Amino acid sequence: MSWDRQIILKNPAEIAIMREAGRVNASVHAAIRELLQPGVSTADLDAAAEEVLRKHGAVSPFKGYGYPPFPNSITVSINEELVHGIPSAKRKLQEGDLVSVDCGTLLEGYVGDSAFSAGVGKISARAQKLLDVTEQALQQGIAKMHSGNHTGDVSAAIQQYVESHGFFVTREYTGHGVGRNMHEGPQVPNYGKPGTGVLLRPGMVIALEPMVLVGTSRTKVLADKWTVVSADGSLTAHFEHSVAVTEGEPILLTVL
Ligand code: MG
Ligand code: MG
């Protein structure tokens, strides 16, 4: 899945608004984390997200996105589901599940985009390792988000970290620029070569999102046309932050 969308630099005032959108998105994450218990439905998580968004005068850019239009405000993807799971009142969390939640906040015309994965109750050692590696891979990518580096430096850092722990990165879904639109240029894959790709410059805002699979890099899409699962049914995880490139250290936008 590749695109050639425009890269739109943001000025400090725009980045300040995006920081607020990101803060709201982090609040949504916090509300959902508190609900991750056996018996809670994925529709319950979606309702909790909508409540937080409404309280902040924000809406989700996910709702109505794409074709068929995505029906909910968050995506909830469990175990072998990597991304884009559709919330449902029938789908209840179970002890030991690994849940990935992706949320977007549209506030004052700008998008905050971030995702996390977490266990429900007690999870296996393998699942915990997958969580730790995926979250740390995101940090490895963020550490490369310096002006003068290339997107390939970010991609390679994520890929090398994940593969050094014996897991796989998806080739089909990528990180991306974010701003007034949820998906802008540049694309930032979770694999690549240092020194290649787009030069990072101050004012770029990019959503980095390692999507990691235990047994394969291959995925397939279910009949609902949204839910992406690992091709071999193996466990998956996903972490994402929206990050601004500056003259100095990168700014993490999607934190409290
Ligand atoms: Mg996202
Ligand atoms: Mg994203």
Side-chain angles (χ1 to χ4, degrees):
M1 228 168 264
S2 125
W3 68 57
D4 190 17
R5 297 185 196 195
Q6 201 184 349
I7 296 169
I8 302 166
L9 299 181
K10 282 81 187 177
N11 64 36
E14 292 177 294
I15 289 174
I17 298 170
M18 293 188 75
R19 176 73 184 91
E20 289 313 309
R23 206 188 300 277
V24 173
N25 222 47
S27 305
V28 173
H29 283 198
I32 288 172
R33 276 184 186 275
E34 285 195 13
L35 291 176
L36 294 181
Q37 300 289 339
V40 171
S41 79
T42 56
D44 294 335
L45 305 182
D46 185 58
E50 291 207 336
E51 193 184 322
V52 175
L53 291 171
R54 198 163 39 238
K55 202 174 76 187
H56 289 90
V59 295
S60 170
F62 291 11
K63 205 168 202 171
Y65 188 88
Y67 193 83
F70 193 80
N72 295 86
S73 291
I74 62 173
T75 72
V76 186
S77 312
I78 301 174
N79 297 332
E80 79 283 3
E81 298 169 359
L82 176 66
V83 288
H84 305 168
I86 301 173
S88 160
K90 287 188 223 145
R91 186 73 189 269
K92 302 249 199 303
L93 303 183
Q94 294 179 18
E95 178 86 15
D97 277 345
L98 204 168
V99 184
S100 298
V101 177
D102 197 345
C103 310
T105 293
L106 177 60
L107 181 75
E108 294 176 36
Y110 290 85
V111 173
D113 184 13
S114 58
F116 72 95
S117 297
V120 177
K122 190 168 166 41
I123 59 172
S124 69
R126 189 95 169 125
Q128 186 61 53
K129 187 185 172 196
L130 177 64
L131 277 182
D132 294 343
V133 167
T134 309
E135 187 165 23
Q136 192 54 43
L138 174 56
Q139 294 304 325
Q140 300 287 319
I142 292 168
K144 297 288 183 186
M145 287 282 286
H146 283 99
S147 178
N149 278 352
H150 289 77
T151 53
D153 297 310
V154 178
S155 300
I158 291 170
Q159 179 184 18
Q160 283 166 15
Y161 189 82
V162 169
E163 292 182 352
S164 75
H165 288 86
F167 295 139
F168 297 83
V169 289
T170 178
R171 305 273 166 154
E172 291 145 316
Y173 302 91
T174 71
H176 51 90
V178 58
R180 286 193 172 273
N181 298 298
M182 184 157 64
H183 294 127
E184 299 180 355
Q187 252 190 323
V188 184
N190 292 306
Y191 65 95
K193 294 203 179 350
T196 66
V198 172
L199 183 67
L200 296 178
R201 305 190 291 284
M204 280 184 169
V205 180
I206 296 175
L208 297 181
E209 46 183 319
M211 292 161 243
V212 178
L213 307 88
V214 164
T216 179
S217 63
R218 290 188 310 113
T219 62
K220 55 188 185 188
V221 180
L222 297 186
D224 65 19
K225 300 245 185 11
W226 276 105
T227 312
V228 177
V229 299
S230 58
D232 64 350
S234 65
L235 214 49
T236 69
H238 178 208
F239 281 86
E240 177 181 33
H241 274 305
S242 300
V243 184
V245 178
T246 73
E247 303 279 1
E249 290 301 307
I251 304 172
L252 221 49
L253 301 174
T254 39
V255 290
L256 289 176

